[in-house]
Amino acid sequence: MTMINAYAPDSAGSLPERERALIARRERLLGPAYRLFYADPIHVVRGEGSSLYDAEGNRYLDAYNNVASVGHSRPEVVEAMARQAAVLNTHTRYLTDGILDFAEAFLAEFPAELSHLMLTCTGSEANDLALRVARVHTGGTGVVIAHNAYHGVTSALAEMSPSLGAAVKLGDHVRVVPAPDGYRMPEAEVGAAFARSVEAAIADLREKGIAPAALLVDTIFSSSGVFTDPAGFLAPAVEVMRKAGGLFIADEVQPGFGRLGTHMWGFARHGLVPDIVTVGKPMGNGHPVAGAVFRPEVIEAFGKSQRYFNTFGGNPVSCAVALAVLRVIKADRLQENALAVGTEMIDGLRALAAKHELIGDVRGSGLFIGVEMVRDRKLKTPASEETARVVNGMRQRRVLISATGQEGHILKIRPPLVFSSEDAKLFLATLDEVLTAL
């Protein structure tokens, strides 16, 4: 199975001896299923802020890793982790204060209708829990997802993640709808078109005797190609699912935590209050903590009929880390920074589009940006090979990005929220240099 921006083992001969030895050791110990990024993989040994450093001490500008949301090795987060680990770490079947302190602070960032929090270790676990709750609440099993979506690595979520490739079969209860592509249709038509697709998917489920349980979408459609506009386009599709008796599950694992600049959460850009929200990745700045937020009426039947326990989900160390991350986002006004620096980057990318024909479209919000690369602007033909060359050209110049979309032709740009104006200028100058060389 080919992965976007993956290292090809047959090119190992071009690598330095140390990296070749590391790759050989990796294959011997970890087996064949893992993948590395870039034609020339990077041997990283340290991170700080928006930077990663290799074994020679070279700095790489990180414009991709949204997991380290408040910056690599953020001191406040490291200190909170160490302080709590030195005192207590246990599970949620004992009474502890930390989980409640975090829950109060975290739920304050959501609409009042979303008032119950359950904690897990990963976004995959959070989405898995959300689906279990949705099935109990609705009595249905059918799930509608977007084209080339990614929602997790458990068996249940892998069969709802077409971005994992054709070898991973989708579930019989899963229906895929086209992505809300405002580049290939007038923006004014995006919402209605997406809603019609969801309606058709529900009808097909019912024809097969499957009742709908949920519309599950990443609210910025990260793996589908980064589709953000027009704000509000998601609302008609949510209404269609709710009228059919299903729920709206907003997967905020990638777009959440202020990354979009204008709002803390992607669903808020669309003026929506979901039934369930799932969160993860940036929640712990690299520490494995995630969760799901529910409307109380949605989780009521699940809570009465069955219990949920996760040995590590919601442990005191994870809660201390998550609270530290949330406090840094608020104290350092990182959502505002995402909007300011993201706007600078989007404006700069659109200026580059006027210079480089390869750029067909620039879209995004805050520090989550997609740049669609095309061979022909009129035909909008995906430029997959050229995109790979851009990604690797940036890596050679020590700026890290990746690609997305089924054809792998959309640059995926989502740096840590501490990305500065100086970082943005370096990013834009480097991309201009790579495109000129191409």
Side-chain angles (χ1 to χ4, degrees):
M1 159 59 190
T2 301
M3 181 186 83
I4 292 173
N5 187 31
Y7 159 71
D10 56 9
S11 65
S14 63
L15 295 175
E17 174 57 34
R18 179 172 53 190
E19 277 64 44
R20 276 189 284 144
L22 271 176
I23 291 170
R25 185 182 178 200
R26 207 179 129 103
E27 290 172 349
R28 185 176 73 252
L29 296 172
L30 305 183
Y34 284 103
R35 300 291 186 272
L36 287 163
F37 267 167
Y38 304 111
D40 296 324
I42 305 166
H43 178 194
V44 293
V45 298
R46 184 170 70 87
E48 182 179 357
S50 60
S51 303
L52 290 170
Y53 295 88
D54 67 15
E56 281 74 42
N58 297 308
R59 181 209 179 202
Y60 292 77
L61 178 64
D62 185 358
Y64 182 71
N65 285 297
N66 67 318
V67 176
S69 57
V70 297
H72 293 282
S73 306
R74 181 76 187 210
E76 297 96 321
V77 178
V78 174
E79 195 276 331
M81 184 189 307
R83 183 176 63 245
Q84 183 59 52
V87 176
L88 174 70
N89 199 26
T90 186
H91 52 71
T92 55
R93 283 175 167 164
Y94 299 120
L95 288 170
T96 56
D97 295 308
I99 190 171
L100 304 180
D101 293 339
F102 172 67
E104 285 178 345
F106 190 56
L107 290 171
E109 300 298 325
F110 288 85
E113 297 93 327
L114 292 158
S115 59
H116 285 342
L117 169 67
M118 295 181 73
L119 293 169
T120 64
C121 301
T122 67
S124 295
E125 288 181 350
N127 278 329
D128 193 88
L129 174 60
L131 290 168
R132 287 176 60 189
V133 171
R135 287 167 178 159
V136 171
H137 180 75
T138 64
T141 58
V143 180
V144 179
I145 61 169
H147 173 78
N148 208 52
Y150 172 74
H151 293 293
V153 297
T154 66
S155 293
L157 271 304
E159 62 183 21
M160 297 180 194
S161 297
S163 66
L164 293 176
V168 182
K169 291 191 66 176
L170 298 182
D172 294 336
H173 59 295
V174 177
R175 295 296 180 274
V176 179
V177 296
D181 188 346
Y183 179 48
R184 287 176 172 76
M185 73 175 79
E187 280 195 352
E189 298 177 13
V190 170
F194 192 64
R196 285 194 300 271
S197 297
V198 172
E199 197 166 32
I202 292 169
D204 188 63
L205 283 167
R206 284 183 164 156
E207 188 180 313
K208 305 298 191 299
I210 302 168
L215 171 66
L216 169 62
V217 296
D218 159 1
T219 55
I220 201 168
F221 297 86
S222 311
S223 297
S224 302
V226 185
F227 297 109
T228 53
D229 295 305
F233 76 73
L234 191 52
V238 171
E239 184 179 358
V240 164
M241 178 54 74
R242 283 175 169 161
K243 282 184 176 177
L247 302 181
F248 169 41
I249 303 173
D251 183 339
E252 295 285 341
V253 171
Q254 293 198 59
F257 290 90
R259 171 162 295 281
L260 304 188
T262 56
H263 297 81
M264 186 70 164
W265 311 107
F267 65 78
R269 285 190 77 250
H270 293 285
L272 293 166
V273 179
D275 300 294
I276 305 173
V277 179
T278 55
V279 290
K281 289 192 199 305
M283 189 172 181
N285 209 53
H287 181 87
V289 56
V293 183
F294 302 87
R295 291 177 183 257
E297 64 272 21
V298 165
I299 200 170
E300 183 177 6
F302 180 87
K304 287 180 177 178
S305 64
Q306 51 193 284
R307 63 184 181 272
Y308 181 79
F309 177 62
N310 184 319
T311 302
F312 301 110
N315 71 75
V317 170
S318 294
C319 289
V321 167
L323 184 57
V325 170
L326 186 61
R327 284 174 171 167
V328 169
I329 290 172
K330 305 300 285 186
D332 286 11
R333 301 172 67 89
L334 293 183
Q335 181 179 325
E336 291 89 335
N337 184 69
L339 181 59
V341 178
T343 300
E344 180 181 351
M345 290 182 70
I346 290 170
D347 289 345
L349 287 162
R350 286 176 176 156
L352 289 180
K355 180 180 177 182
H356 300 285
E357 287 286 320
L358 193 61
I359 297 178
D361 191 37
V362 176
R363 51 187 181 254
S365 181
L367 286 173
F368 209 133
I369 304 167
V371 180
E372 183 152 352
M373 315 294 276
V374 295
R375 289 179 179 157
D376 185 306
R377 284 188 175 178
K378 188 174 290 186
L379 298 176
K380 301 179 180 178
T381 313
S384 305
E385 291 179 15
E386 294 88 341
T387 303
R389 289 165 64 190
V390 169
V391 169
N392 283 289
M394 296 287 280
R395 175 258 176 271
Q396 292 300 331
R397 291 163 177 83
R398 299 184 186 136
V399 175
L400 306 181
I401 57 171
S402 192
T404 188
Q406 188 169 28
E407 305 298 326
H409 69 293
I410 299 158
L411 300 180
K412 189 177 186 181
I413 304 157
R414 43 165 208 188
L417 299 181
V418 295
F419 215 66
S420 68
S421 178
E422 291 73 24
D423 292 334
K425 287 179 175 63
L426 174 58
F427 171 86
L428 292 166
T430 307
L431 181 58
D432 186 21
E433 183 182 324
V434 169
L435 289 171
T436 300
L438 199 65

